[in-house]
Amino acid sequence: MKPQDDVCLCFHVPLVKVRTYLARENPPVASLISECLGAGTGCGWCVPYLKELHNQHQSGQLPTIEGSAADYAEGRLKFNKSGTRDKPESQ
Ligand code: FES
């Protein structure tokens, strides 16, 4: 996923905004990323990804999501239709 690609598709929050928020605010818990333009407060698809971005930030890594934005968006469509994920919740 590229920095300008949306992590939270509901509220159009790109990866670069989440990275900037994490670097600036250093939130102690992932749920505070919701303060970044409401990320994660819609359908819930991006919540495990936001948690992973938070974990990466906490461990000193550049927060990144592997794979393409198209695959990510397709996963969300499936999630919204079925309520299930292809990937584990812990991601
Ligand atoms: S994609 Fe983030 S809440 Fe729906």
Side-chain angles (χ1 to χ4, degrees), residues 35-78:
E35 292 180 349
C36 180
L37 304 174
T41 60
C43 71
W45 162 252
C46 63
V47 169
Y49 294 94
L50 295 174
K51 288 179 181 175
E52 179 59 22
L53 293 174
H54 183 261
N55 286 340
Q56 291 169 351
H57 169 74
Q58 294 288 78
S59 62
Q61 302 169 36
L62 180 66
T64 301
I65 295 175
E66 297 298 326
S68 72
D71 287 347
Y72 184 82
E74 187 177 326
R76 177 179 175 251
L77 283 177
K78 289 179 185 173

Side-chain angles (χ1 to χ4, degrees), residues 1-90:
M1 183 177 280
K2 297 175 185 167
Q4 69 272 22
D5 292 333
D6 286 345
V7 174
C8 183
L9 296 160
C10 287
F11 295 103
H12 304 288
V13 183
L15 176 60
V16 67
K17 289 275 188 186
V18 175
R19 283 178 177 166
T20 300
Y21 175 81
L22 289 168
R24 188 183 63 222
E25 301 295 332
N26 194 24
V29 293
S31 62
L32 287 173
I33 299 175
S34 64
E35 292 180 349
C36 180
L37 304 174
T41 60
C43 71
W45 162 252
C46 63
V47 169
Y49 294 94
L50 295 174
K51 288 179 181 175
E52 179 59 22
L53 293 174
H54 183 261
N55 286 340
Q56 291 169 351
H57 169 74
Q58 294 288 78
S59 62
Q61 302 169 36
L62 180 66
T64 301
I65 295 175
E66 297 298 326
S68 72
D71 287 347
Y72 184 82
E74 187 177 326
R76 177 179 175 251
L77 283 177
K78 289 179 185 173
F79 172 75
N80 286 346
K81 284 181 184 169
S82 68
T84 61
R85 297 175 183 276
D86 290 340
K87 296 180 178 179
E89 290 286 332
S90 62

